Amino acid sequence: MSDSDIPRILIVEDEPEVRDALIRDVAPFEGQFVIEAAEDVDDAHAALASLEAAEQSVALVLCDHLLPGVHGVDFLIELNGDPKTASARKVLVTGQAGLEDTIRAVNNADLDHYIAKPWQPEQLMAVVVATLTDFVIEQGIDPLPYVSTLDGERLLEHYARRASDR
């Protein structure tokens, strides 16, 4: 698999120590996914423009809510409304989103999961595995390279069903 074929995980977090912790906690997925980090929505837009220019896809966005400028929920809603990024799995990682913002994220951003800060690394890993497994299945990506990293049982079941449908 060439680097341009590897889906991306985009982390959007303004606090450097929290961003570093998220990067550290998703590091086991490196190799299967490229991890990109942004400190705010403008930085995330620049990363997305670069990925689009290189014809690379975003598989998962882990996004804080309280960011300088545009809030994370608004960014996730924007991603969901753009055909180029709508298929990305979206996880809100925050301790600051109120009920109204969380409901907006669920209803308008097609939010896949909400993780409250501080998170447990095992909880984050489980969410990342589930959401990336969903992405691989829904995008019709060959699941075999991901069997050892993601939910191998679900991927193999999907692969077997797909093979029997042919």
Side-chain angles (χ1 to χ4, degrees):
M1 188 179 324
S2 74
D3 189 52
S4 65
D5 295 333
I6 300 175
R8 275 33 187 183
I9 297 172
L10 177 60
I11 296 170
V12 186
E13 170 60 62
D14 62 319
E15 296 180 41
E17 55 281 345
V18 177
R19 188 173 52 247
D20 291 346
L22 285 166
I23 292 168
R24 179 193 65 235
D25 287 350
V26 299
F29 299 97
E30 280 184 308
Q32 297 282 309
F33 299 87
V34 173
I35 300 168
E36 307 268 349
E39 62 186 41
D40 58 28
V41 171
D42 287 342
D43 198 20
H45 280 135
L48 289 171
S50 171
L51 294 176
E52 183 181 339
E55 297 182 359
Q56 298 165 334
S57 65
V58 177
L60 172 64
V61 178
L62 298 169
C63 189
D64 185 20
H65 176 57
L66 285 185
L67 297 165
V70 178
H71 283 167
V73 168
D74 295 319
F75 176 63
L76 294 174
I77 291 169
E78 176 189 333
L79 292 180
N80 195 55
D82 185 338
K84 295 177 284 242
T85 54
S87 65
R89 308 311 289 190
K90 297 162 208 71
V91 176
L92 189 61
V93 184
T94 189
Q96 301 296 318
L99 180 59
E100 187 176 313
D101 285 323
T102 303
I103 290 170
R104 281 189 332 111
V106 169
N107 291 340
N108 301 322
D110 196 22
L111 189 69
D112 293 289
H113 209 87
Y114 177 102
I115 297 177
K117 291 178 183 175
W119 67 89
Q120 296 298 316
E122 307 79 36
Q123 175 199 20
L124 180 67
M125 288 290 286
V127 168
V128 170
V129 165
T131 56
L132 289 175
T133 299
D134 291 342
F135 179 83
V136 167
I137 290 170
E138 290 173 9
Q139 295 304 302
I141 297 170
D142 178 7
L144 294 181
Y146 300 96
V147 168
S148 65
T149 309
L150 302 180
D151 185 340
E153 186 175 329
R154 273 184 57 213
L155 290 172
L156 289 174
E157 286 172 8
H158 171 72
Y159 184 77
R161 274 194 310 275
R162 202 172 75 181
S164 70
D165 289 345
R166 289 185 199 157

